[in-house]
Amino acid sequence: MSGTNKKKLQCLSNESMKRGRLEAHLKAKHSAHINSDLSYFKTLKEKFEKRTTLQSLFTARNLTNDRLSEASYQISLLIAKTGKNYTIGENLIKPSISAFLKTVLEKDDTDVKALPLSNNTVSRRIDEMSEDIEKQLVEKLKTRNFSVQMDESTLRDSDAVLITYVRYIDEGNFAEEM
C-alpha cells in the first residue's frame, strides 16, 4: 500500500477499528476508492456526520413554532374527525405522545409540553379550518354549475338541523359537499 493510502487510513481510522483491518476493509469492500484523494474521504466523513438522524428530528433546535403549529392543526383535524370532546388533546393525546417519547425513544418530552392542544386552541383551529374549507367551496361554486339539496333532521334533544348538500363537477368528477 502506498504512503498516501496509509495516510488516508490514519486520518479516517478511529479507535474502534485497527489500521490493518481498515486497510483490509478498504481493499475488500471499496477497491474502487483505493486511489481516491484524501479530500474525498474527508468529504464523506463530513456528510456522514451531518446526516439527518432520528434523534436529530426530535431535538428542540429543529422543532420550531411553525412545526408545532402544524402538528397542532393536524391533531386538531384528527380530533374533529373523531367527533370527540376537544379536551382529549390535553387529556389523552399529549400524555400519549409524552409516554411514547420517554419509553420508546428515550427522549425528553419538553417539546410536547409546548404543543398547543388546549380545548380553546383545538376549537379555534377547527373553526379556522372549517372557515377555510367553506371559502374554498364558495370560490369553486362561483365558477361552476351546481345543484343544492336540503334536508331537515332532528337531534335527540328535539333540536332541528338543516343540512345542505351541494353537488358539482370538479376536474371531471362528481363532487358532493355538506
Side-chain angles (χ1 to χ4, degrees):
M1 181 172 271
S2 71
T4 57
N5 283 340
K6 286 182 183 180
K7 190 176 182 181
K8 289 178 203 173
L9 291 175
Q10 287 173 346
C11 289
L12 296 174
S13 68
N14 55 25
E15 295 174 8
S16 64
M17 188 177 262
K18 303 236 187 258
R19 187 169 155 252
R21 287 189 178 186
L22 189 60
E23 286 178 8
H25 175 80
L26 182 63
K27 286 179 185 175
K29 303 291 182 183
H30 309 286
S31 57
H33 298 293
I34 286 179
N35 295 324
S36 296
D37 191 18
L38 179 61
S39 62
Y40 168 78
F41 292 100
K42 286 184 177 181
T43 306
L44 256 169
K45 182 180 178 183
E46 287 172 14
K47 284 181 184 178
F48 178 77
E49 290 172 345
K50 291 180 182 177
R51 77 193 186 289
T52 303
T53 62
L54 184 60
Q55 185 175 6
S56 69
L57 291 174
F58 289 98
T59 57
R61 63 182 164 80
N62 287 337
L63 286 176
T64 63
N65 288 336
D66 291 341
R67 293 178 80 184
L68 285 171
S69 292
E70 183 179 348
S72 177
Y73 274 100
Q74 290 175 357
I75 294 170
S76 296
L77 179 61
L78 294 172
I79 292 171
K81 286 181 178 179
T82 63
K84 300 288 185 188
N85 192 340
Y86 298 160
T87 58
I88 196 171
E90 279 193 326
N91 296 338
L92 179 65
I93 295 174
K94 279 174 88 169
S96 300
I97 294 171
S98 179
F100 176 81
L101 287 174
K102 287 179 181 177
T103 308
V104 177
L105 299 178
E106 297 178 347
K107 298 295 295 174
D108 186 28
D109 66 341
T110 54
D111 296 329
V112 176
K113 293 174 183 169
L115 186 62
L117 286 179
S118 69
N119 180 34
N120 293 340
T121 302
V122 171
S123 177
R124 187 176 60 251
R125 295 205 192 290
I126 291 171
D127 289 343
E128 289 172 7
M129 287 186 282
S130 66
E131 286 175 17
D132 184 52
I133 291 169
E134 186 177 339
K135 285 178 186 175
Q136 289 178 29
L137 179 60
V138 168
E139 289 301 315
K140 281 183 182 179
L141 295 178
K142 284 181 179 179
T143 60
R144 295 179 172 89
N145 292 327
F146 60 92
S147 66
V148 177
Q149 178 182 352
M150 298 179 113
D151 188 20
E152 183 181 354
S153 183
T154 307
L155 298 176
R156 289 185 191 159
D157 45 346
S158 300
D159 289 335
V161 177
L162 186 62
I163 301 173
T164 306
Y165 295 95
V166 179
R167 292 185 183 98
Y168 59 97
I169 297 176
D170 186 27
E171 297 178 7
N173 298 317
F174 286 105
E176 179 179 86
E177 297 291 337
M178 182 171 64

